[in-house]
């Protein structure tokens, strides 16, 4: 049995795949090693919901047989991974992170699970998440069946959510990659807080069939990996049209960053105020260096800012209205009271009071936001901003009532890029770019719809020029 | 389709955190729910006040 060092547990996917094909170790050995590691360390971060050792070993044996016969399937073949526990896996519990659904079992695989299986990836576990992906709003990180997601860099701090287990599992080298989901921040936040690379794809690029719905208008599934390049490989495997998903764009994705426009032709919009004033003081130095690193890539930097639409208000209304409809049986039956977080319970109940005219107004303002987006992207190719303005919060801190005063600035800059990007269904890549008080921080690169290759090209170049993404927490 | 059968073994494998010590809430659930409903009504007023040209249609995402 091969002995695995940290170099394997923190290796990028292409490296793992090369070593598997060179028979340095078998897929079964690799899978066992990651299962052992996930089983041992996953609970340390409340990252693991369900270990899938036996089906994983069966799959790993099948992969070894294929490799022996010379049947290759690409960069993900043989790679263990974890899936956020809102993705159904046939015959296994899928809890949505929530007590009312703790015994829920589906008899089919989510489309993304099937696609990764065809790519030869090995699902080793379901990863913890904030209950119901936090749709009602939640106050504490403990809003989860598995308890608060703990940050591998410092367990006194939050891993971020709602893809909390996905972020911490990749950060701690428990899985080479993981699937997360984002409605409003749930891939980029744990990626930023845990120091991993997370990709939120364009809305509709990846099928949501078999995933818990929180907001039909905003839900997206995406990869969380050690590198931007790995995100590209995973996205290629999971993207594609699906008639089972009404939101499917019917488009495929071929990872080809080498065919994206040369970096020196790219116009990158940013707002100085985001990095200098909105950012937490302890993060400004590393954010400034990250901005310089991006400048050094030869891109054309341009000032950019958003308008004055009520981005956060309408994003909140859209999510609340759709979540209230999706979870209406849960709320009206009273089982919503079984959730862990009081703010979440109150939020879901209150959401039933939203008027249809408010939802429609929000969706009409969304049309105006989309028009604004088209104008912005006539002038720039990408937007960059801090993924989050500071590092992770302490584990007992109320998320809606920060204990420290938050920075204020007169100009909005791109402060609302999170709401804006999700409203418009834009792709975004969170890139580790430094540390603040010993905790990771990150920048986000946001592109036009379906411009993932351009977004990834910048991310790959940034990661060639920096090494933040190679740092490892003490596990 | 959702199955309601789940084996005891499957449930036993699921990791569930022990109940967290109760956070002392500043308000009860009923109070917070009422406050959130009031917030919803306040947001409604903000939306009503936000002018949108009559010919702007909702940006529904779903494709036929």
């Amino acid at each position: 049995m091969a002995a695995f060092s940290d170099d394997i547990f923190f290796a990028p996917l292409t490296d793992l795949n090369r070593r598997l094909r060179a028979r340095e170790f078998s897929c079964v050995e690799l899978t066992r090693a990651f299962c052992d590691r996930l089983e041992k360390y996953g609970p340390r971060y409340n990252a693991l919901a369900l270990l899938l050792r036996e089906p994983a070993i069966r799959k790993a044996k099948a992969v070894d047989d294929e490799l022996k016969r010379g049947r290759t399937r690409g960069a993900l073949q043989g790679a263990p991974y974890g899936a956020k526990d809102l993705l159904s896996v046939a015959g296994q519990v899928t809890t949505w992170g929530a007590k009312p659904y703790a015994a829920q079992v589906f008899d089919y695989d989510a489309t993304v699970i099937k696609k990764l299986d065809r790519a030869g990836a090995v699902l080793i576990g379901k990863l913890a998440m904030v209950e119901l992906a936090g749709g009602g709003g939640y106050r504490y990180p403990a809003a989860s069946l598995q308890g608060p997601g703990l940050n591998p860099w410092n367990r006194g701090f939050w891993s971020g959510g709602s893809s909390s287990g996905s972020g911490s599992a990749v950060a701690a080298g428990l899985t080479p990659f993981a699937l997360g989901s984002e409605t409003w921040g749930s891939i980029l936040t744990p990626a930023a807080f845990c120091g991993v690379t997370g990709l939120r794809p364009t809305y509709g690029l990846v099928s949501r069939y078999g995933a818990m719905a929180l907001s039909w208008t905003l839900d997206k599934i995406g990869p969380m990996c050690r590198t931007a390049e790995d995100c590209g490989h995973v996205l290629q495997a999971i993207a594609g049209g699906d008639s089972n998903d009404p939101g499917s764009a019917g488009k495929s994705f071929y990872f080809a960053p080498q065919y994206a426009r040369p970096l020196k032709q790219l116009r990158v919009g940013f707002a100085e105020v985001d990095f200098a004033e909105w950012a937490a003081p302890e993060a400004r130095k590393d954010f400034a260096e990250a901005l310089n690193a991006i400048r050094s890539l030869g891109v054309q930097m341009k000032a950019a800012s958003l308008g004055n639409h009520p981005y956060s208000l309408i994003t909140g209304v859209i999510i609340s209205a759709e979540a209230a409809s999706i979870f209406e049986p849960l709320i009206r039956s009273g089982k919503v009271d079984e959730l862990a977080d009081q703010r979440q319970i109150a939020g879901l109940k209150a959401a039933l009071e939203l008027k249809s005219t408010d939802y429609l107004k929000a969706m009409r303002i969304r049309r105006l936001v989309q028009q604004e987006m088209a104008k912005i992207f006539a002038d720039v190719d990408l937007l960059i901003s801090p993924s989050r303005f500071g590092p992770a919060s302490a584990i007992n801190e109320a998320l809606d009532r920060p204990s420290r005063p938050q920075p204020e600035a007169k100009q909005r800059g791109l402060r609302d890029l999170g709401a804006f990007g999700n409203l418009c269904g834009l792709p975004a890549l969170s890139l580790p770019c430094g540390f603040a008080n010993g905790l990771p921080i990150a920048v986000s690169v946001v592109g036009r719809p379906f411009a993932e290759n351009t977004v990834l090209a910048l991310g790959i170049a940034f990661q060639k020029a920096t090494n933040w993404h190679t740092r490892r927490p003490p596990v | 389709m959702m199955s309601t059968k789940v084996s005891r073994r499957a449930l036993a494998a699921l990791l569930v955190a022990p109940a967290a010590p109760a956070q002392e809430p500043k308000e009860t659930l009923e109070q917070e729910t009422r406050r959130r409903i009031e917030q919803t009504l306040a947001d409604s007023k903000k939306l009503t006040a936000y002018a949108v040209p009559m010919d702007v249609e909702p940006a529904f995402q779903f494709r036929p």
Side-chain angles (χ1 to χ4, degrees):
Chain A
M1 167 83 101
F4 292 95
S5 68
D6 274 4
D7 283 344
I8 296 293
F9 295 125
F10 291 93
L13 290 171
T14 43
D15 194 33
L16 282 180
N17 188 253
R18 177 182 57 76
R19 296 170 83 155
L20 268 169
R21 288 165 65 179
R23 309 281 192 95
E24 283 186 36
F25 40 76
S26 69
C27 185
V28 168
E29 289 171 331
L30 184 70
T31 299
R32 281 207 177 105
F34 270 104
C35 282
D36 289 345
R37 190 171 169 91
L38 182 59
E39 187 173 39
K40 181 176 179 185
Y41 294 114
R44 182 183 284 193
Y45 310 111
N46 293 330
L48 178 62
L50 184 68
L51 189 69
L52 295 171
R53 183 187 291 272
E54 283 163 31
I57 300 294
R58 282 198 295 274
K59 173 67 183 180
K61 283 184 179 148
V63 170
D64 279 333
D65 285 341
E66 283 199 324
L67 288 171
K68 246 186 244 166
R69 287 185 279 115
R71 170 95 200 261
T72 55
R73 291 180 184 263
L76 301 190
Q77 190 177 22
Y81 78 99
K84 186 175 182 180
D85 198 22
L86 47 60
L87 292 165
S88 65
V89 173
Q92 303 291 349
V93 182
T94 298
T95 69
W96 299 349
K99 192 170 171 214
Y101 301 100
Q104 176 172 249
V105 176
F106 296 97
D107 62 2
Y108 64 96
D109 288 337
T111 295
V112 290
I113 301 290
K114 282 202 284 213
K115 282 178 171 255
L116 284 172
D117 186 74
R118 276 203 291 275
V122 181
L123 178 62
I124 63 170
K126 295 294 220 60
L127 301 176
M129 57 181 281
V130 173
E131 58 190 6
L132 306 185
Y138 52 103
R139 177 160 294 125
Y140 292 106
S144 167
L145 198 54
Q146 280 76 40
L150 305 180
N151 198 307
W153 292 90
N154 184 330
R155 289 195 300 144
F157 290 81
W158 188 34
S159 62
S162 62
S163 310
S164 39
S166 303
S168 49
V170 176
L174 312 187
T175 61
F177 76 95
L179 291 182
S181 74
E182 174 152 333
T183 304
W184 187 5
S186 292
I187 289 176
L188 300 192
T189 297
F193 285 173
C194 290
V196 302
T197 307
L199 176 63
R200 178 189 78 212
T202 306
Y203 176 91
L205 186 57
V206 178
S207 169
R208 289 101 41 95
Y209 180 69
M212 181 202 87
L214 173 60
S215 164
W216 303 293
T217 298
L218 301 179
D219 290 343
K220 299 154 288 287
I221 295 169
M224 297 168 76
C225 305
R226 301 212 60 82
T227 69
E229 185 182 351
D230 283 359
C231 285
H233 289 299
V234 178
L235 183 62
Q236 178 168 315
I238 62 175
D242 185 3
S243 57
N244 285 318
D245 178 1
S248 174
K251 290 179 189 282
S252 299
F253 171 74
Y254 297 100
F255 179 41
Q258 65 275 22
Y259 297 124
R261 281 161 59 202
L263 291 180
K264 60 178 189 251
Q265 290 181 11
L266 290 181
R267 301 160 300 168
V268 177
F270 79 107
E272 194 74 52
V273 67
D274 289 353
F275 295 86
E277 294 181 51
W278 288 115
E282 64 270 27
R284 288 175 193 169
K285 177 175 162 296
D286 278 10
F287 274 138
E289 285 179 18
L291 206 50
N292 283 337
I294 290 171
R295 271 197 193 95
S296 307
L297 298 176
V299 296
Q300 301 167 39
M301 302 292 283
K302 294 186 75 167
S305 62
L306 297 179
N308 292 320
H309 292 304
Y311 308 102
S312 292
L313 172 62
I314 65 172
T315 307
V317 166
I318 291 167
I319 293 173
S320 291
E322 294 182 357
S325 180
I326 290 162
F327 294 110
E328 188 174 5
L330 175 78
I331 303 166
R332 295 213 189 272
S333 70
K335 285 180 82 70
V336 67
D337 289 344
E338 292 178 20
L339 294 179
D341 192 85
Q342 180 176 294
R343 181 166 183 253
Q344 172 109 264
I345 298 169
L348 286 170
K349 287 181 176 179
L352 282 180
E353 306 303 317
L354 264 165
K355 295 189 296 186
S356 57
T357 44
D358 289 339
Y359 173 71
L360 289 169
K361 188 69 170 289
M363 292 295 259
R364 293 174 69 208
I365 299 172
R366 182 171 178 245
R367 175 80 63 197
L368 298 178
V369 174
Q370 289 176 337
Q371 291 167 1
E372 179 191 3
M373 183 265 292
K375 285 195 186 115
I376 287 174
F377 280 102
D379 277 341
V380 301
D381 302 299
L382 297 166
L383 293 169
I384 53 160
S385 186
S387 301
R388 295 292 300 240
F389 287 111
S393 51
I395 205 68
N396 291 320
E397 184 168 337
L399 299 171
D400 61 337
R401 294 165 192 159
S403 55
R404 293 183 308 166
Q406 302 295 291
E408 287 286 335
K410 288 206 177 84
Q411 296 168 320
R412 299 293 293 176
L414 294 173
R415 194 184 194 293
D416 297 306
L417 188 57
F420 178 87
N422 280 293
L423 279 172
C424 298
L426 303 180
L429 181 69
S430 182
L431 299 162
C433 73
F435 287 83
N437 296 341
L439 291 163
I441 58 172
V443 286
S444 279
V445 183
V446 179
R448 292 188 187 90
F450 307 108
E452 277 81 355
N453 272 318
T454 305
V455 169
L456 288 164
L458 185 75
I460 289 167
F462 180 81
Q463 289 185 337
K464 276 202 179 100
T466 62
N467 65 5
W468 300 113
H469 61 290
T470 65
R471 307 289 176 94
R472 302 170 186 178
V475 177
Chain B
M1 188 170 321
M2 190 160 67
S3 162
T4 55
K5 285 187 192 164
V6 56
S7 69
R8 249 182 250 160
R9 189 162 166 252
L11 275 179
L14 181 67
L15 271 75
V16 174
Q23 307 266 8
E24 195 58 42
K26 292 189 164 90
E27 52 192 341
T28 65
L29 175 58
E30 271 184 30
Q31 287 169 334
E32 179 151 19
T33 305
R34 243 178 280 130
R35 181 171 59 76
R36 292 293 292 271
I37 291 173
E38 282 164 17
Q39 182 65 52
T40 301
L41 296 173
D43 288 345
S44 177
K45 287 189 178 133
K46 284 183 198 162
L47 284 169
T48 304
Y50 199 84
V52 174
M54 271 179 66
D55 62 347
V56 174
E57 293 189 6
F60 293 126
Q61 196 72 40
F62 309 115
R63 293 158 182 82

